[in-house]
Amino acid sequence: MMRLKTKLFLFIFFCITISVKTQNTPSENSLGLTRTIPSTFLEEHREIKVYTPDSYSESDKKYPVLFILDGQRLFPYGVSLLKSFTQFKQTPEFIVVGITNTYPHRFGHFSDSEKKFSSFIKEEVLPFIDTNYRTSSERLLFGWEYGGSFVIQTLLDTPELFNGYMAASPFPIAQKIDAVATFLQKHPTIDRSLYFSVSPHEGSVNMGTEKLDSLLQVKAPKSMHWTYKKLADAEHRSTPYMTLYKGITQFYHYYPELQFNTLEEYTKAGGLEYVYDYYKQRSEQFGFQNEVSEWTKFTLIRSGIREENYTQFDYFMTTFSSSSFIENLRGSRPYEITDFYIKHSKYAEALDIYKILLHKRSDSQELHKKIGDTYTALDMKKEAAAYYKKAQELSEN
């Protein structure tokens, strides 16, 4: 018997040991693919990193492409943003391409040899990506520091290559101001997007971006979508991360559903006129229905509730509320509305909502009790008793 127990113990110990070893066996993790492009212009083989979104292998649609300079450093962050943006429906899915570089050669590629590097991107990288991947005509270009200056120069030289240009701490810029002024004069209807930013203490970098901002304020046409952001909490090394995040969300400004956290936000944005125009633009750009989303409606109503502003709350409910809107509210959201009505002694309005909910939640003990309480507040005892009785029956069952 002892020998049997010993064998059993050794067998269990062996199984546990194998299991632990299996669990601790390391495996490689990868982020997309590394491709190599033989470059005539750079006279070398250059690596690029490519990441396709999760739906790529299961669809036949075409995707926008985000091109990130200094991909050896910033490519993983671009992929992280893609995953976050698409999970929370802030942007459409897009392909991420990181164009790698090496120190100290990157400084020359973005300055003295920028024409060669520009030709490398235009004549070799873009055709390679378009040939090997399903790409739409929409492209974004991002760069930091000298790469940021290269991004702006690319806008001046070949504005048709990209739809959106994003530059973090672009340097040098000051000597490009005259060229920017000439560019704007020659392109009075340019419709490209430019987002550039800087941290507060970057010396000559700040001088250049301030000059560019001043020029754009006076000379930029209305068709050009541009933003200059001073990143108060950033430093030179962190501006690429904040800029890439802000730049992408700025480019896809009309993609996410509107959300309002306060009535002040709503008023500053332009009220309902802004809301309706936003959804019109969203529909035209991305093919969504030209209707205010249920989520936007609820956030406006919720703002009135949170700020105890019954007048504004009632205005939103009158404007937006319908049976389908109430039925589609999830979780406790409809009860936030009824509770606010009851708080302001608007029992009939609360009852209307309860009865809409009852169509889909006829077996809800809680809902029957709430209706009974509301009828009690209206001193309608007979009706209240009927719903209390039903709530009791549901409880017993």
Side-chain angles (χ1 to χ4, degrees), residues 64-69 85 91-92 94-97 99 121 126 136-143 151 161-166 192-194 244 247-252:
V65 186
L66 167 65
F67 292 87
I68 299 178
L69 303 178
F85 288 152
T91 72
F94 51 84
I95 297 169
V96 182
V97 176
I99 303 174
I121 291 176
L126 297 187
S136 69
S137 58
E138 192 168 270
R139 301 179 185 136
L140 305 177
L141 179 65
F142 170 78
V151 165
L161 282 189
F162 299 91
N163 305 84
Y165 295 81
M166 298 170 287
R192 291 308 186 239
S193 173
L194 172 63
L244 187 54
I248 295 173
T249 55
Q250 177 69 20
F251 183 81
Y252 288 113

Side-chain angles (χ1 to χ4, degrees), residues 65-348:
V65 186
L66 167 65
F67 292 87
I68 299 178
L69 303 178
D70 287 313
Q72 76 285 353
R73 172 186 172 189
L74 298 171
F75 173 75
Y77 181 62
V79 175
S80 175
L81 287 181
L82 162 67
K83 290 181 173 293
S84 178
F85 288 152
T86 53
Q87 178 182 349
F88 295 103
K89 299 180 181 180
Q90 290 179 273
T91 72
E93 290 182 305
F94 51 84
I95 297 169
V96 182
V97 176
I99 303 174
T100 63
N101 222 317
T102 57
Y103 286 85
H105 304 294
R106 71 180 288 275
F107 299 107
H109 288 150
F110 295 144
S111 54
D112 296 339
S113 301
E114 69 179 3
K115 292 193 179 300
K116 287 183 179 181
F117 202 75
S118 179
S119 297
F120 162 63
I121 291 176
K122 179 181 179 181
E123 304 295 339
E124 295 172 334
V125 175
L126 297 187
F128 179 86
I129 294 298
D130 289 341
T131 299
N132 290 279
Y133 297 91
R134 297 193 310 274
T135 61
S136 69
S137 58
E138 192 168 270
R139 301 179 185 136
L140 305 177
L141 179 65
F142 170 78
W144 166 70
E145 195 189 64
Y146 283 82
S149 178
F150 178 84
V151 165
I152 292 175
Q153 189 63 50
T154 303
L155 170 62
L156 301 182
D157 294 339
T158 51
E160 72 282 357
L161 282 189
F162 299 91
N163 305 84
Y165 295 81
M166 298 170 287
S169 302
F171 180 83
I173 289 297
Q175 56 264 50
K176 298 181 187 287
I177 299 302
D178 290 342
V180 175
T182 302
F183 171 82
L184 296 175
Q185 187 175 8
K186 289 182 177 180
H187 299 82
T189 58
I190 184 72
D191 63 351
R192 291 308 186 239
S193 173
L194 172 63
Y195 185 99
F196 63 106
S197 63
V198 71
S199 63
H201 309 294
E202 295 193 72
S204 54
V205 180
N206 297 81
M207 292 173 59
T209 54
E210 290 293 328
K211 287 183 178 180
L212 180 57
D213 174 53
S214 298
L215 175 65
L216 291 172
Q217 288 189 41
V218 177
K219 299 292 185 180
K222 290 183 179 180
S223 56
M224 182 177 180
H225 310 285
W226 67 277
T227 300
Y228 173 45
K229 190 73 173 178
K230 298 175 184 177
L231 305 172
D233 297 326
E235 58 177 344
H236 182 66
R237 291 167 293 183
S238 67
T239 58
Y241 304 102
M242 300 175 75
T243 303
L244 187 54
Y245 179 93
K246 292 287 187 181
I248 295 173
T249 55
Q250 177 69 20
F251 183 81
Y252 288 113
H253 173 73
Y254 290 107
Y255 190 87
E257 296 179 45
L258 272 179
Q259 173 176 316
F260 294 98
N261 296 305
T262 65
L263 294 176
E264 183 181 13
E265 279 184 17
Y266 163 76
T267 302
K268 284 186 175 181
L272 275 187
E273 184 178 352
Y274 169 77
V275 173
Y276 290 134
D277 180 68
Y278 181 96
Y279 278 93
K280 179 183 176 184
Q281 298 286 346
R282 187 173 186 258
S283 172
E284 291 175 354
Q285 289 189 32
F286 303 109
F288 292 110
Q289 290 187 339
N290 186 11
E291 297 177 359
V292 179
S293 76
E294 305 293 330
W295 174 242
T296 299
K297 294 175 183 177
F298 178 72
T299 63
L300 287 169
I301 293 167
R302 182 183 62 184
S303 296
I305 295 173
R306 287 176 173 177
E307 298 179 34
E308 290 289 337
N309 189 326
Y310 183 83
T311 301
Q312 195 70 67
F313 162 84
D314 186 57
Y315 172 71
F316 292 139
M317 286 297 295
T318 302
T319 303
F320 295 131
S321 185
S322 65
S323 295
S324 61
F325 170 69
I326 297 299
E327 287 176 350
N328 290 329
L329 288 174
R330 292 180 295 175
S332 64
R333 291 171 186 170
Y335 299 119
E336 291 182 49
I337 296 173
T338 53
D339 288 349
F340 197 63
Y341 271 134
I342 290 171
K343 184 176 184 179
H344 290 268
S345 303
K346 302 293 183 180
Y347 303 111

Side-chain angles (χ1 to χ4, degrees), residues 354-379:
Y354 286 145
K355 289 181 178 180
I356 291 172
L357 297 174
L358 202 58
H359 288 297
K360 296 183 83 173
R361 308 176 193 180
S362 58
D363 59 348
S364 170
Q365 174 196 355
E366 179 191 13
L367 187 53
H368 281 83
K369 184 178 182 305
K370 284 179 178 292
I371 296 175
D373 291 342
T374 308
Y375 273 124
T376 298
L378 288 168
D379 199 26

